[in-house]
Amino acid sequence: MLDQATRLRELVEARERGETIPANDATPDSRNDRSRIAPRVIAIASGKGGVGKSHVAANLAYCISRAGRKTLLVDADLGMANLDLLLGLTPGRNLGHVVTGQVDLGATLMEGPGGMLFLPGASGLARAADLSENERGRLMDQLFCLEESAELIIIDTGAGISRNVIAFASAADDVLVVTTPEPTAMTDAYALIKVLHGTGYDGRIGVVVNQAVDRAEGRGVYTRLAKTTARFIGRTIYDLGFLPADPQVGLAARNRRPVVACQPAAKVSRAMVELAARLLADGQALHRAHAQPGIFRRIAGLFF
Ligand SMILES: Nc1ncnc2c1ncn2[C@@H]1O[C@H](COP(=O)(O)OP(=O)(O)O)[C@@H](O)[C@H]1O
Ligand SMILES: [Mg+2]
């Protein structure tokens, strides 16, 4: 795992020197080792919208797949699915079509930047509640196959604390809560953590402070949030660091590419790489042995 973290840093440094490193070149041995365990699932959530979840999700998926891990990015923002825009992809089909039985899930999968697999989202997924038992069974079977095809699944969720968001978050091994230093974002992050805690969620909750001025501000935000969760709900949350506010993020979005891909030397890109490295380095210890049921069956229980 540490090798992967080191590799991420090497990758970015090499890109800055103008060198190209082939993507997805993990050794066959390490791939075989990893294929024996269930994929690790990381849900990105926030409470408040517009704090940077989708950018974090897209860049993490990019960094991790470039580091040689088979990564699946799922757009589970059922309200405003927009990850395709950040990745420069134009999906013909999405989860909405799968749910209505028009296509197989495999037909919706796309290859994104860095070799990631991408599952485009749709607000139509909310119609899953109307599925017959047969349709639901078919969808679940397809989701299981998907689960076997990735080492790591990153799920971008929507704003708010809806049943859907909580369902995806509580099914994940790690929930990465994105906040900004704004009091409203922090309050909503706390509300999300409280609801998640209330479901009996036993995975890890980590906090990323986005759009911070500097490390000190990021640390301050984390500390305030951590003290609140410890005091009022007795929950430990982990410090996953901060991401600086950087106009390169907006420029990358206009170019429809992850900022790490188009501006690897930008401060925010370096911070994204560090975040990905931290997640990978922690992975071994944090990966809960969740052989079965798989995430999508766990979600299904809450979702349908
Ligand atoms: N670190 C950052 N620096 C500057 N702008 C950012 C940063 N992170 C996000 N943004 C901007 O904030 C807005 C919301 O980002 P987005 O990822 O769509 O949030 P969410 O998915 O939480 O709704 C976008 O306009 C994006 O360009
Ligand atoms: Mg979003």
Side-chain angles (χ1 to χ4, degrees):
M1 293 284 179
L2 277 170
D3 285 353
Q4 294 292 335
T6 309
R7 176 162 167 75
L8 272 169
R9 290 190 195 94
E10 282 171 4
L11 177 70
V12 167
E13 281 158 19
R15 281 176 70 89
E16 280 165 21
R17 291 193 301 269
E19 295 165 15
T20 315
I21 294 187
N24 298 325
D25 61 348
T27 63
D29 280 353
S30 61
R31 278 200 171 277
N32 286 342
D33 283 343
R34 282 196 292 269
S35 66
R36 280 193 263 111
I37 58 172
R40 180 171 167 216
V41 180
I42 301 175
I44 318 280
S46 69
K48 189 173 185 292
V51 295
K53 284 182 302 298
S54 296
H55 280 276
V56 168
N59 281 283
L60 277 184
Y62 176 79
C63 290
I64 294 170
S65 56
R66 282 294 310 230
R69 297 289 203 91
K70 212 165 163 193
T71 307
L72 167 66
L73 177 61
V74 180
D75 192 345
D77 182 345
L78 309 183
M80 212 184 302
N82 64 358
L83 267 177
D84 50 325
L85 294 176
L86 299 184
L87 299 172
L89 298 174
T90 314
R93 317 218 182 269
N94 57 45
L95 274 185
H97 296 103
V98 179
V99 166
T100 53
Q102 288 166 269
V103 291
D104 284 347
L105 197 72
T108 69
L109 281 184
M110 307 181 79
E111 185 172 332
M116 73 172 81
L117 276 178
F118 175 59
L119 185 54
S123 42
L125 190 58
R127 291 204 45 222
D130 302 328
L131 292 185
S132 71
E133 212 159 290
N134 276 349
E135 288 171 323
R136 198 178 305 156
R138 201 182 56 217
L139 178 60
M140 283 301 113
D141 284 347
Q142 293 183 34
L143 289 168
F144 286 150
C145 293
L146 207 60
E147 202 171 348
E148 279 159 22
S149 71
E151 294 171 64
L152 202 129
I153 301 177
I154 296 176
I155 302 181
D156 183 26
T157 68
I161 308 179
S162 67
R163 201 162 167 237
N164 290 338
V165 170
I166 296 301
F168 280 110
S170 57
D173 296 292
D174 293 86
V175 175
L176 197 156
V177 177
V178 181
T179 184
T180 68
E182 274 183 43
T184 47
M186 290 175 67
T187 307
D188 289 359
Y190 173 67
L192 169 78
I193 294 166
K194 194 174 162 191
V195 171
L196 190 58
H197 178 72
T199 66
Y201 176 68
D202 65 349
R204 187 180 78 151
I205 302 174
V207 172
V208 177
V209 181
N210 189 23
Q211 307 211 34
V213 171
D214 55 21
R215 189 172 299 278
E217 186 181 45
R219 183 77 199 169
V221 169
Y222 162 76
T223 304
R224 279 203 296 281
L225 212 43
K227 275 190 182 155
T228 307
T229 57
R231 179 165 171 208
F232 293 107
I233 56 174
R235 181 92 189 198
T236 302
I237 55 172
Y238 295 84
D239 186 3
L240 291 173
F242 82 103
L243 300 165
D246 191 330
Q248 292 296 341
V249 174
L251 292 175
R254 260 172 264 163
N255 285 325
R256 303 186 64 185
R257 291 181 71 202
V259 68
V260 180
C262 54
Q263 292 293 338
K267 268 191 183 170
V268 69
S269 301
R270 290 177 159 279
M272 290 281 189
V273 170
E274 285 298 322
L275 173 61
R278 207 167 293 135
L279 282 170
L280 286 179
D282 284 352
Q284 195 97 58
L286 297 168
H287 192 287
R288 288 181 297 155
H290 71 269
Q292 286 296 330
I295 176 174
F296 291 113
R297 196 169 290 281
R298 280 181 273 149
I299 286 175
L302 290 148
F303 198 54
F304 294 112

